[in-house]
Amino acid sequence: MKLFLDTANLAEIQEGAKMGILDGVTTNPTLLSREPGDPMENLKAICRTVEGPVSAEVIATDVEGMLKEAHQLSKLAENIVVKLPTTTEGLKACKQLTSEGIKVNMTLVFSPTQALLVAKAGATFVSPFVGRLDDVSSDGMNVVAQIIDIYNNYGFETEVLVASVRHPMHVVDAALMGADICTMPFKVFKQLIKHPLTDVGLEKFISDWKAAQQ
Ligand code: E4P
């Protein structure tokens, strides 16, 4: 499973990239708005830092506006993926952009029917938001399981990108289901390597070794 960072913070992305297991980045307007400086310049810096796709979202809600912004975004760097909202207008824009060879990540997906439609429109990635579904007492990971089954039934090539991840168990469940990608905040990314027994065990190995040298 590929691991993406869901952040627009360059320092976090640089640190994640140094770990050697970072496969890409997802941003959204909220994440970009939290960072100082020009968002377009920030996106370019992120694209230089990551070896892998970087999703950047349009703001327009009509097809013409989405296509205009998508063409501007795709010129920023070769690894930009245009993120579009999963609406009727977004679906039309997705079909057009993918026919031009521009990679598209369909975002704000909350149901298997939305996922079916974006795959038919040729989306490169589909982003079900598991945390936000859990927030309203729906089972976010169940929606991911349904999407994976549907895509397998018909051989769709759209990659399932599990988004709105809140904790490491979302990552475990996504991997058990065979999701293609999980995108997560830097905090969750760092939690994946941590285990208290590793820390305690390491401390003991070192102290035993030092004691034997004296
Ligand atoms: C996905 O690409 C989104 O940026 C993101 O996962 C949203 O997560 P949130 O629900 O924590 O805002």
Side-chain angles (χ1 to χ4, degrees), residues 136-175:
V136 294
S137 307
S138 286
D139 185 345
M141 289 313 305
N142 187 47
V143 171
V144 173
Q146 290 176 322
I147 294 170
I148 292 172
D149 280 352
I150 291 167
Y151 283 12
N152 286 342
N153 285 346
Y154 297 100
F156 285 122
E157 285 176 10
T158 303
E159 291 189 56
V160 178
L161 193 169
V162 178
S164 185
V165 161
R166 301 275 159 81
H167 47 70
M169 280 314 294
H170 277 147
V171 183
V172 173
D173 289 341

Side-chain angles (χ1 to χ4, degrees), residues 6 26-28 31 83 107 127 129 132 163-166 183:
D6 192 32
T26 50
T27 70
N28 63 40
L31 293 170
K83 223 180 185 190
T107 193
S127 289
F129 275 35
R132 293 193 196 186
S164 185
V165 161
R166 301 275 159 81
T183 189

Side-chain angles (χ1 to χ4, degrees), residues 12-42:
E12 291 181 346
I13 294 164
Q14 285 167 337
E15 211 180 318
K18 278 189 206 150
M19 288 165 71
I21 45 128
L22 180 63
D23 299 302
V25 166
T26 50
T27 70
N28 63 40
T30 304
L31 293 170
L32 276 165
S33 69
R34 285 188 197 142
E35 303 302 322
D38 174 40
M40 295 303 134
E41 290 307 314
N42 291 346

Side-chain angles (χ1 to χ4, degrees), residues 123-135:
T124 317
F125 305 104
V126 61
S127 289
F129 275 35
V130 295
R132 293 193 196 186
L133 277 166
D134 291 352
D135 288 346

